[in-house]
Amino acid sequence: MDLEKIEGLVKIIENSSLTEFTLKEGDLKITMSKLDNPPVVAAGVPVAAAPAAAQEAAPAEEEAEEETLFITSPIVGTFYSAPAPDAPAFVKVGDQVKNGQTVCILEAMKLMNEIQSDFDCEIEAVLVSNEQKVEYGQPLFRVKKL
């Protein structure tokens, strides 16, 4: 993954309501988090104490992160949760999705592209709203692999 892609991911996270994002490509794993309130260092407390506490919590967080995956946008386009305005959504929170099942439609250049799940999973959260513009690589759904 090159620096431009990483910078693009940072911009997506900054402009979204996501607070944490993990991307795994082969052996590379990138995790980004937003801090609502930056840490404050109290007088007399060594700065090195904060990273030590973070290192102790990291193994537990790492296990939880590995279980949470995202279905991301393969293209730039407009997100549609249903095949028609009056039709029910393809998926909703709590639905179990099979490999190859359509989860949404992305419109790009007047073409409707069905986005399918690459694995069996359960939808934990829908991260974008209907008719929202999405970027390449933007998370659309947070899922838990079955």
Side-chain angles (χ1 to χ4, degrees):
M1 179 174 282
D2 63 358
L3 186 58
E4 288 180 13
K5 285 184 181 178
I6 295 171
E7 288 174 344
L9 289 172
V10 170
K11 288 179 185 176
I12 290 170
I13 299 300
E14 286 176 347
N15 297 326
S16 74
S17 61
L18 291 175
T19 57
E20 186 170 315
F21 171 76
T22 301
L23 174 69
K24 191 172 186 180
E25 283 187 4
D27 294 338
L28 177 68
K29 182 177 178 181
I30 297 175
T31 300
M32 296 180 213
S33 299
K34 279 192 212 176
L35 293 175
D36 291 333
N37 298 320
V40 177
V41 179
V45 176
V47 177
Q55 288 176 353
E56 292 173 12
E61 289 178 16
E62 194 171 302
E63 290 174 13
E65 287 175 9
E66 289 181 21
E67 295 173 10
T68 303
L69 301 171
F70 296 95
I71 296 176
T72 59
S73 175
I75 57 175
V76 174
T78 304
F79 175 87
Y80 293 101
S81 60
D86 57 343
F90 287 107
V91 295
K92 60 186 181 308
V93 174
D95 284 356
Q96 291 191 354
V97 177
K98 298 287 183 195
N99 182 10
Q101 182 177 338
T102 301
V103 293
C104 68
I105 292 177
L106 292 179
E107 178 187 3
M109 298 177 60
K110 304 291 181 191
L111 293 174
M112 299 298 184
N113 301 282
E114 289 187 354
I115 307 305
Q116 300 172 342
S117 175
D118 293 332
F119 45 84
D120 294 349
C121 59
E122 180 180 336
I123 304 294
E124 289 186 329
V126 180
L127 304 174
V128 292
S129 57
N130 199 39
E131 299 183 12
Q132 179 179 337
K133 304 286 188 227
V134 296
E135 298 291 328
Y136 170 79
Q138 179 176 345
L140 304 174
F141 301 92
R142 185 177 70 229
V143 298
K144 180 172 57 174
K145 202 166 188 178
L146 297 177

